[in-house]
Amino acid sequence: MTNTDKLETAFSEALMIEKSLIIDDLTYQSIPEWDSISHMVLISELESMFDISLDTEDVIDMSSVLKAKEILNKYDILF
Amino acid sequence: MLLSGKTILVTGANRGIGRAIAIKFSNEGARVVLCGRNVVELESLKASIQNDNPLNDAIVLEMDVSKYESIKQAFLTLSKSKIVLDGIVNNAGVMKDAALMMTTEMDVREMFETNTFGTIYCCQFAVKNMLKQRKGSILNLSSIVGLNGSSGQSVYSASKSAILGFTKSLSKEMGTFNIRVNAMSPGFIETDMTAGKSDEYYERNLLNIPLKRFGSVEDISNLAVFMMSDNSSYITGQIIGIDGGMII
């Protein structure tokens, strides 16, 4: 599975949305499925998927799919 | 057995209440993740557990709850090993009795960093771990002193009192994920933390306990088993006193 596949799977399972909806422009709280509750699940899914522990600042900053990719880059996960 | 199939992390597992809880959990069928600063003592405990329960694959993790990075690394190790927690007991704590005027800044920091911040950060990482299966049980150790206060323990009391508000709030935040968060407030429990006090100290405290005995680590571990088990599945946000009715 590529890193993009992993990212889409994490978002899809955490937010319970179709993978086709996971585009760079998708932002936090722009859809009902990505609320503060599912955001916590998303963080857990991403950490599990990539075997990392996200810093709290990064959890707060993860405001879009594009931003998630940028943050994951800091953990040597490239897209 | 009440905890069969469960994986439960215990902080400060190397001695006292934490050690008793870990052993009791193991005897109830749980796989225990033994955390603490003293790895030698933890390995000894693991050997003892596996001597009594040869099939128990207990895990030893070095963790200093007063240090964020140490907690983070321990939980990252769990995550990389794909170990999902069913429960955590935030037991690690320090108590330094002193009148406020005699309490050093270092002691204030140590008690808050271990008792309060350690509990908060362990919960933060544990919750992320538990979210994977959308269930879990968190048990934080407060103290009767955190509830009622005690002369000569103002800072210890403050560090334990903070856990009460934290527990109640976190239980509301985590309820939607079926993660239960509770605290227990032990009264006078005989451990190495209370050893070495004067006879007068013991006698004075006994007068305030209607059940006329001090608590034991077994009393605490029995409650911890219940709180980690599915028998307590409708209990969250509670502060459970275990103090023999002690009045302070």
Side-chain angles (χ1 to χ4, degrees), chain A residues 2 9 12 15 19-20 23 26-27 32-33 40 43 45 51-53 59-61 65-66 70-71 74-75 79:
Chain A
T2 67
T9 300
S12 174
L15 309 187
K19 284 187 178 178
S20 60
I23 56 173
L26 180 64
T27 57
E33 291 87 349
M40 287 190 273
I43 297 304
E45 292 284 353
D51 280 339
I52 55 170
S53 181
V59 172
I60 296 165
D61 285 347
V65 172
L66 179 61
E70 291 172 4
I71 288 169
K74 294 197 307 183
Y75 295 82
F79 296 92

Side-chain angles (χ1 to χ4, degrees), chain A residues 37 41 44 47-48 51 55, chain B residues 72 82 128 132 134 177:
Chain A
I37 301 292
V41 180
S44 177
E47 288 190 346
S48 178
D51 280 339
D55 292 336
Chain B
K72 180 179 175 179
K82 304 299 178 195
K128 285 200 281 187
K132 294 179 184 69
R134 314 282 203 278
F177 299 113

Side-chain angles (χ1 to χ4, degrees), chain B residues 203-227:
Chain B
E203 287 163 12
R204 177 163 41 85
N205 278 287
L206 199 55
L207 285 175
N208 297 324
I209 302 174
L211 289 185
K212 295 301 172 198
R213 71 172 176 87
F214 298 122
S216 67
V217 292
E218 285 72 29
D219 293 319
I220 300 295
S221 56
N222 285 337
L223 177 58
V225 167
F226 174 69
M227 296 308 294

Side-chain angles (χ1 to χ4, degrees), chain A residues 13-14 16 37-38 40-41 43-45 47-49 51-56 59 75, chain B residues 68-69 72 76 79-82 124-125 127-132 134 173-174 176-177:
Chain A
E13 291 185 0
M16 290 191 280
I37 301 292
S38 59
M40 287 190 273
V41 180
I43 297 304
S44 177
E45 292 284 353
E47 288 190 346
S48 178
M49 192 67 80
D51 280 339
I52 55 170
S53 181
L54 290 162
D55 292 336
T56 305
V59 172
Y75 295 82
Chain B
Y68 180 85
E69 267 309 310
K72 180 179 175 179
L76 191 54
S79 177
K80 285 182 175 176
S81 304
K82 304 299 178 195
Q124 192 175 44
F125 285 104
V127 157
K128 285 200 281 187
N129 181 291
M130 291 171 174
L131 278 170
K132 294 179 184 69
R134 314 282 203 278
E173 203 169 303
M174 289 296 122
T176 189
F177 299 113

Side-chain angles (χ1 to χ4, degrees), chain B residues 8-13 18-19 21-22 25 32-36 88-89 91:
Chain B
I8 305 173
L9 187 151
V10 182
T11 68
R19 180 184 172 88
I21 288 174
F25 283 0
V32 282
V33 182
L34 310 167
C35 294
I88 178 172
V89 179
N91 159 74

